[in-house]
Amino acid sequence: MTQLALVIDLNVCVGCHACVTSCKEWNTSGLSGPLSDFNAYGKDPTGTFFNRVQTFEVGVYPNTETVHFPKSCLHCEEPPCVPVCPTGASYKRAEDGIVLVDYDKCIGCKYCSWACPYGARELDENQKVMKKCTLCVDRIYDMNLPERERRPACVLSCPASARLFGDIHDPESEVSRAIREQGGFELMPEWGTKPANHYLPRRKMRLHLHEDELVRADNPLKKEEYMPKPDINEPTLDDVMPW
Amino acid sequence: MHPAFSVIFLTVLLGFGQGTFLALATAEIYAYFDLLPMPPQSYFNAAGAFVALAFLTGGLFASFFHLGRPERAWRTATKWRTSWLSREVIALPAFMGAVFLYLLVHFFEWNPVIIERIGAPPVTLSLVIVAIGTVLAFVLFVCTAMIYASLKFLQEWHTPLTVINYILIGGASGFLFTAVLASIVQPDLTYFFGGLSALLLVLATGTRIASLIRNLRLRPKSTLQTAIGVHHRQIAQKTQGAMGGSFNTREFFHGKSPLFLKSARWGFLVTAFLVPFALTIVAIAIERPEPLFLAVAIQAAGLLVERWFFFAEANHPQNIYYQSIA
């Protein structure tokens, strides 16, 4: 069984919101569009978004870390939003595990949004139906696109490559390997929803520099101190030789 | 959660309707066993069934205001295997049908004997409808309450007390209303219904306070740590991704101060439970129905506050992601 999902590396995300805007751009003009905005340039702008980047500060100043946290539908393997839907508009695709809403069946009762602990579903105030991330289902299977573009818009746009996309049920896929080898985790595991999307944790990055990495020893003999060590400001062999 | 007025009216009105029918059913069963000095007359049952049907219709009407696409409401009956909301959508018209049949039977006073029994009173058509209607009333109570009680993330609702409260509160309000109706249509039944409504109100007060205490002691399962998977004690949200509001900031927050919430809690305990109970007891003691009229009016207002509080009290885990705008 295939379960397509995103793996988001919190250690890499810089919080640029490129995934947010590219998601909105693709989806407002695609299958699930329009993602209606109201007062877009007014006092209280609001609108439908599938993806948002939030920012959290961890620790106490001055020892703080800023965590940028992209949040969208997690395409749970046990989606709590699907069984509560009274019309069957919410469903999970058997073939690739994407959780979708049939906009022609949805009655806009909002019950699924109550049943989602992540707040991943939004009512489109214009169409009055529930909308959520589709994992760009209208894009990833589009044979008119070159193969490298058959990925969700947010993944393609991420300038830091913080977002990976693939099948988490295939143990050899890039996403499975990332989850396995880099400590991928689920959000709110306490509810047993088994989110398909995973996040990779923050990691401590420390650079260890040794003195001999800073001071160049051209001549091994000099290093072994058969000859006097050159001053750090003296030209090196590379500077004086015309090779 | 943000309390929607459509759902507040839906649940309160359905409770009134179901309670009224259950009160009629109780009187009819009492009369069957010859426990009432004077059995309920057909015109009283017809009037009661008419009012119950009016309440249920009002609730159904209110529910449509909750839907973004009410013209597709017929689709909601399709997923009864998994969705309590779908089950409610089936149970409500079924129960309304039973109440309507009951209304017809008593309006046209056409009440044939269905089962003849030796040495026992005959079972009439009305009694058969009472039996079916009672089952359907309880099914509807369970469906309505399970819509909320089945959501395990909403810990305030995820308890059997939710179902018990819906049944007892709806029952108490319906019995009290039926007592008022009886004082106009068939006065000899007034204090029978009044006494039972006081009894139900005592039970409902107990279970409602139990649920309030339970909810005050709840510890949320989800925390900011599990929500973003960062295990540090000090995490503060700096942005939520948008400066303006979104569906997430509107649908899941009641937007009122803690003081408002606290006064609503004490307000409904007094107006929906304490005052109607005291007035009912007074009415029974002085054998005059006037306090019952006052009781039913105050309780109706109190129950709207009770239902408002029921929704406002529930704290959705998604709110963890929306603690700070910028």
Short mmCIF file of all heavy atoms in Angstrom, two decimals, chain B residues 238-267:
data_model
loop_
_atom_site.label_atom_id
_atom_site.label_comp_id
_atom_site.label_asym_id
_atom_site.label_seq_id
_atom_site.Cartn_x
_atom_site.Cartn_y
_atom_site.Cartn_z
N LYS B 238 5.44 32.63 18.51
CA LYS B 238 5.75 33.99 18.09
C LYS B 238 4.85 34.45 16.94
O LYS B 238 4.50 35.61 16.85
CB LYS B 238 7.22 34.09 17.67
CG LYS B 238 8.19 33.95 18.84
CD LYS B 238 8.06 35.14 19.77
CE LYS B 238 8.60 34.79 21.15
NZ LYS B 238 8.35 35.83 22.13
N THR B 239 4.54 33.57 16.02
CA THR B 239 3.57 33.90 14.98
C THR B 239 2.70 32.67 14.72
O THR B 239 3.12 31.55 15.00
CB THR B 239 4.23 34.28 13.63
OG1 THR B 239 4.74 33.08 13.03
CG2 THR B 239 5.35 35.28 13.80
N GLN B 240 1.51 32.90 14.19
CA GLN B 240 0.67 31.76 13.81
C GLN B 240 0.49 31.70 12.30
O GLN B 240 -0.39 31.00 11.82
CB GLN B 240 -0.67 31.82 14.53
CG GLN B 240 -1.45 33.09 14.28
CD GLN B 240 -2.75 33.11 15.09
OE1 GLN B 240 -2.83 32.51 16.13
NE2 GLN B 240 -3.73 33.80 14.58
N GLY B 241 1.31 32.41 11.59
CA GLY B 241 1.31 32.28 10.14
C GLY B 241 0.45 33.29 9.42
O GLY B 241 0.51 33.40 8.20
N ALA B 242 -0.40 34.02 10.15
CA ALA B 242 -1.24 35.02 9.51
C ALA B 242 -1.55 36.10 10.52
O ALA B 242 -1.79 35.81 11.69
CB ALA B 242 -2.53 34.40 9.00
N MET B 243 -1.53 37.35 10.07
CA MET B 243 -1.83 38.46 10.98
C MET B 243 -3.33 38.61 11.19
O MET B 243 -3.79 38.92 12.28
CB MET B 243 -1.26 39.77 10.44
CG MET B 243 0.23 39.77 10.27
SD MET B 243 1.06 39.91 11.85
CE MET B 243 0.90 41.65 12.15
N GLY B 244 -4.11 38.39 10.13
CA GLY B 244 -5.56 38.47 10.25
C GLY B 244 -6.08 37.15 10.80
O GLY B 244 -5.34 36.21 11.05
N GLY B 245 -7.37 37.07 11.02
CA GLY B 245 -7.95 35.84 11.53
C GLY B 245 -8.06 34.79 10.45
O GLY B 245 -7.82 35.04 9.27
N SER B 246 -8.38 33.59 10.86
CA SER B 246 -8.63 32.52 9.91
C SER B 246 -9.74 31.65 10.49
O SER B 246 -10.22 31.89 11.60
CB SER B 246 -7.37 31.68 9.70
OG SER B 246 -7.00 31.04 10.90
N PHE B 247 -10.13 30.64 9.73
CA PHE B 247 -11.15 29.70 10.23
C PHE B 247 -10.73 29.15 11.58
O PHE B 247 -11.54 29.01 12.49
CB PHE B 247 -11.32 28.57 9.21
CG PHE B 247 -12.31 27.53 9.64
CD1 PHE B 247 -13.67 27.77 9.55
CD2 PHE B 247 -11.88 26.30 10.12
CE1 PHE B 247 -14.58 26.80 9.95
CE2 PHE B 247 -12.79 25.34 10.52
CZ PHE B 247 -14.14 25.58 10.43
N ASN B 248 -9.43 28.86 11.72
CA ASN B 248 -8.92 28.27 12.96
C ASN B 248 -9.08 29.20 14.16
O ASN B 248 -9.23 28.74 15.29
CB ASN B 248 -7.45 27.91 12.81
CG ASN B 248 -7.23 26.99 11.65
OD1 ASN B 248 -7.26 27.41 10.50
ND2 ASN B 248 -7.02 25.73 11.92
N THR B 249 -9.00 30.50 13.94
CA THR B 249 -9.12 31.42 15.07
C THR B 249 -10.58 31.78 15.35
O THR B 249 -10.88 32.30 16.41
CB THR B 249 -8.33 32.72 14.82
OG1 THR B 249 -8.85 33.36 13.66
CG2 THR B 249 -6.87 32.44 14.62
N ARG B 250 -11.48 31.51 14.37
CA ARG B 250 -12.89 31.86 14.58
C ARG B 250 -13.70 30.70 15.13
O ARG B 250 -14.53 30.87 16.02
CB ARG B 250 -13.51 32.31 13.26
CG ARG B 250 -13.07 33.69 12.80
CD ARG B 250 -13.89 34.15 11.61
NE ARG B 250 -13.70 33.30 10.44
CZ ARG B 250 -12.79 33.51 9.50
NH1 ARG B 250 -11.99 34.54 9.59
NH2 ARG B 250 -12.68 32.70 8.48
N GLU B 251 -13.47 29.50 14.60
CA GLU B 251 -14.36 28.38 14.89
C GLU B 251 -14.10 27.76 16.26
O GLU B 251 -15.01 27.17 16.84
CB GLU B 251 -14.18 27.31 13.79
CG GLU B 251 -15.02 26.05 13.95
CD GLU B 251 -16.50 26.28 13.69
OE1 GLU B 251 -16.86 27.37 13.22
OE2 GLU B 251 -17.30 25.36 13.97
N PHE B 252 -12.89 27.90 16.78
CA PHE B 252 -12.53 27.10 17.95
C PHE B 252 -12.34 27.94 19.23
O PHE B 252 -11.93 27.42 20.24
CB PHE B 252 -11.27 26.29 17.66
CG PHE B 252 -11.42 25.38 16.47
CD1 PHE B 252 -11.01 25.77 15.21
CD2 PHE B 252 -12.02 24.14 16.61
CE1 PHE B 252 -11.16 24.94 14.11
CE2 PHE B 252 -12.18 23.31 15.53
CZ PHE B 252 -11.75 23.70 14.27
N PHE B 253 -12.57 29.23 19.15
CA PHE B 253 -12.44 30.08 20.33
C PHE B 253 -13.78 30.75 20.62
O PHE B 253 -14.43 31.25 19.72
CB PHE B 253 -11.37 31.16 20.10
CG PHE B 253 -9.97 30.61 19.98
CD1 PHE B 253 -9.47 30.22 18.75
CD2 PHE B 253 -9.17 30.47 21.11
CE1 PHE B 253 -8.18 29.71 18.64
CE2 PHE B 253 -7.89 29.97 21.00
CZ PHE B 253 -7.40 29.58 19.77
N HIS B 254 -14.15 30.80 21.91
CA HIS B 254 -15.41 31.47 22.23
C HIS B 254 -15.23 32.98 22.34
O HIS B 254 -16.20 33.73 22.25
CB HIS B 254 -16.03 30.89 23.50
CG HIS B 254 -15.11 30.87 24.68
ND1 HIS B 254 -14.80 32.00 25.38
CD2 HIS B 254 -14.42 29.86 25.25
CE1 HIS B 254 -13.96 31.67 26.36
NE2 HIS B 254 -13.71 30.38 26.31
N GLY B 255 -14.00 33.42 22.57
CA GLY B 255 -13.71 34.85 22.53
C GLY B 255 -14.24 35.64 23.72
O GLY B 255 -14.37 36.86 23.65
N LYS B 256 -14.55 34.95 24.80
CA LYS B 256 -15.06 35.64 25.99
C LYS B 256 -14.03 35.52 27.12
O LYS B 256 -13.19 34.63 27.12
CB LYS B 256 -16.40 35.03 26.43
CG LYS B 256 -17.50 35.21 25.40
CD LYS B 256 -18.07 36.62 25.46
CE LYS B 256 -19.31 36.75 24.61
NZ LYS B 256 -19.02 36.95 23.19
N SER B 257 -14.16 36.41 28.10
CA SER B 257 -13.20 36.42 29.19
C SER B 257 -13.47 35.25 30.15
O SER B 257 -14.58 34.73 30.18
CB SER B 257 -13.29 37.73 29.96
OG SER B 257 -14.55 37.81 30.58
N PRO B 258 -12.45 34.85 30.93
CA PRO B 258 -12.67 33.79 31.93
C PRO B 258 -13.78 34.16 32.91
O PRO B 258 -14.54 33.29 33.36
CB PRO B 258 -11.33 33.67 32.64
CG PRO B 258 -10.33 34.23 31.70
CD PRO B 258 -11.04 35.27 30.89
N LEU B 259 -13.88 35.46 33.21
CA LEU B 259 -14.92 35.90 34.14
C LEU B 259 -16.31 35.66 33.55
O LEU B 259 -17.24 35.21 34.23
CB LEU B 259 -14.73 37.39 34.47
CG LEU B 259 -15.71 37.96 35.49
CD1 LEU B 259 -15.48 37.35 36.86
CD2 LEU B 259 -15.60 39.47 35.56
N PHE B 260 -16.43 35.96 32.23
CA PHE B 260 -17.71 35.74 31.54
C PHE B 260 -18.09 34.26 31.61
O PHE B 260 -19.24 33.91 31.89
CB PHE B 260 -17.59 36.20 30.09
CG PHE B 260 -18.88 36.17 29.33
CD1 PHE B 260 -19.69 37.28 29.25
CD2 PHE B 260 -19.29 35.00 28.69
CE1 PHE B 260 -20.88 37.25 28.55
CE2 PHE B 260 -20.48 34.95 27.99
CZ PHE B 260 -21.27 36.08 27.93
N LEU B 261 -17.09 33.41 31.37
CA LEU B 261 -17.33 31.97 31.38
C LEU B 261 -17.78 31.51 32.77
O LEU B 261 -18.71 30.73 32.91
CB LEU B 261 -16.03 31.26 30.99
CG LEU B 261 -16.16 29.98 30.18
CD1 LEU B 261 -16.84 30.26 28.86
CD2 LEU B 261 -14.81 29.36 29.95
N LYS B 262 -17.11 32.06 33.79
CA LYS B 262 -17.43 31.69 35.16
C LYS B 262 -18.85 32.14 35.51
O LYS B 262 -19.63 31.38 36.11
CB LYS B 262 -16.42 32.35 36.11
CG LYS B 262 -16.22 31.60 37.38
CD LYS B 262 -15.08 32.22 38.17
CE LYS B 262 -15.02 31.68 39.59
NZ LYS B 262 -13.96 32.28 40.37
N SER B 263 -19.20 33.36 35.10
CA SER B 263 -20.55 33.82 35.42
C SER B 263 -21.59 33.04 34.64
O SER B 263 -22.69 32.81 35.15
CB SER B 263 -20.71 35.33 35.18
OG SER B 263 -19.72 35.83 34.38
N ALA B 264 -21.24 32.61 33.41
CA ALA B 264 -22.20 31.78 32.66
C ALA B 264 -22.43 30.47 33.39
O ALA B 264 -23.56 29.98 33.46
CB ALA B 264 -21.66 31.52 31.25
N ARG B 265 -21.36 29.90 33.94
CA ARG B 265 -21.49 28.62 34.64
C ARG B 265 -22.43 28.76 35.84
O ARG B 265 -23.37 28.00 36.00
CB ARG B 265 -20.11 28.14 35.09
CG ARG B 265 -20.17 26.81 35.83
CD ARG B 265 -18.81 26.15 35.89
NE ARG B 265 -17.82 27.01 36.50
CZ ARG B 265 -16.57 27.14 36.08
NH1 ARG B 265 -16.17 26.49 35.02
NH2 ARG B 265 -15.73 27.91 36.71
N TRP B 266 -22.17 29.78 36.68
CA TRP B 266 -23.04 29.97 37.84
C TRP B 266 -24.43 30.40 37.41
O TRP B 266 -25.43 30.01 38.02
CB TRP B 266 -22.42 30.99 38.80
CG TRP B 266 -21.26 30.38 39.55
CD1 TRP B 266 -19.94 30.62 39.34
CD2 TRP B 266 -21.32 29.38 40.57
NE1 TRP B 266 -19.17 29.84 40.17
CE2 TRP B 266 -20.00 29.07 40.95
CE3 TRP B 266 -22.38 28.71 41.20
CZ2 TRP B 266 -19.68 28.13 41.92
CZ3 TRP B 266 -22.05 27.77 42.18
CH2 TRP B 266 -20.73 27.49 42.53
N GLY B 267 -24.47 31.19 36.34
CA GLY B 267 -25.76 31.67 35.83
C GLY B 267 -26.66 30.53 35.43
O GLY B 267 -27.85 30.49 35.82
#
